[in-house]
């Protein structure tokens, strides 16, 4: 797959123990991957790198996942697909995330293969009419 046709995935999570294996799995699946380790860095990379999909943690330093979501949807550009990945599994967080435009809500701990599968589903090409 050539670099220009690669889908771009941004992982925003402050836990490098999670981001490193996830980045390797996403790259092995053929994605161009970027990482950010807090919400502010994530917003900057969304604006600069225009990812096709964001894997977004909810609880992070400097800007929460919900604040990052607000920034994404207040932007004038087409928003990326978003998978929220969080240890906060209370139903109210899931509802808030889905109400704010998140495509998928995946609780931690997760299986990396399941997350890669969710990314593949959200980024597969739309069928031609």
């Amino acid at each position: 797959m050539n670099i220009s046709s690669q889908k771009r995935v941004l992982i925003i999570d402050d836990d490098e123990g999670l981001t490193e294996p996830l980045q390797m799995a996403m790259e092995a699946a053929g994605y161009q991957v970027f990482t950010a380790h807090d919400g502010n860095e994530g917003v900057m990379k969304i604006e600069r790198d225009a990812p096709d999909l964001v894997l977004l943690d909810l609880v992070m330093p400097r800007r929460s996942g919900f604040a990052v979501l607000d920034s994404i949807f207040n932007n004038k550009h087409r928003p990326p697909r978003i998978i929220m990945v969080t240890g906060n599994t209370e139903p109210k967080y899931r509802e808030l995330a889905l109400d704010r435009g998140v495509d998928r809500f995946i609780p931690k701990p997760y299986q990396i293969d399941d997350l890669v599968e969710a990314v593949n589903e959200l980024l597969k090409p739309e069928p031609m009419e």
Side-chain angles (χ1 to χ4, degrees):
M1 179 180 285
N2 80 32
I3 237 21
S4 63
S5 67
Q6 266 187 316
K7 295 287 186 176
R8 300 156 66 89
V9 174
L10 173 61
I11 302 168
I12 308 174
D13 196 318
D14 59 319
D15 185 344
E16 290 186 40
L18 293 175
T19 57
E20 287 181 18
L22 189 51
Q23 179 175 1
M24 289 190 298
M26 291 294 157
E27 287 172 347
Y31 297 107
Q32 185 177 9
V33 182
F34 307 90
T35 61
H37 299 290
D38 67 55
N40 286 346
E41 182 185 7
V43 168
M44 184 216 39
K45 288 189 174 184
I46 289 166
E47 291 169 0
R48 186 187 72 199
D49 299 325
D52 298 292
L53 184 138
V54 175
L55 292 166
L56 178 61
D57 188 17
L58 179 57
V59 179
M60 294 179 292
R62 300 178 64 202
R63 191 182 293 204
S64 74
F66 284 133
V68 172
L69 276 180
D70 291 344
S71 175
I72 289 170
F73 290 113
N74 288 334
N75 193 321
K76 294 161 197 58
H77 305 294
R78 178 186 62 83
R81 306 304 298 264
I82 300 168
I83 298 175
M84 184 162 276
V85 183
T86 181
N88 290 339
T89 57
E90 291 180 44
K92 69 178 180 180
Y93 291 110
R94 177 186 205 94
E95 289 170 29
L96 278 171
L98 295 173
D99 286 348
R100 284 187 162 162
V102 167
D103 294 290
R104 299 272 169 84
F105 186 93
I106 298 179
K108 290 178 183 176
Y110 52 79
Q111 295 295 316
I112 287 183
D113 290 347
D114 293 340
L115 204 48
V116 171
E117 187 176 313
V119 169
N120 289 339
E121 286 176 22
L122 288 173
L123 291 180
K124 71 180 171 199
E126 296 294 319
M128 296 291 217
E129 295 277 329

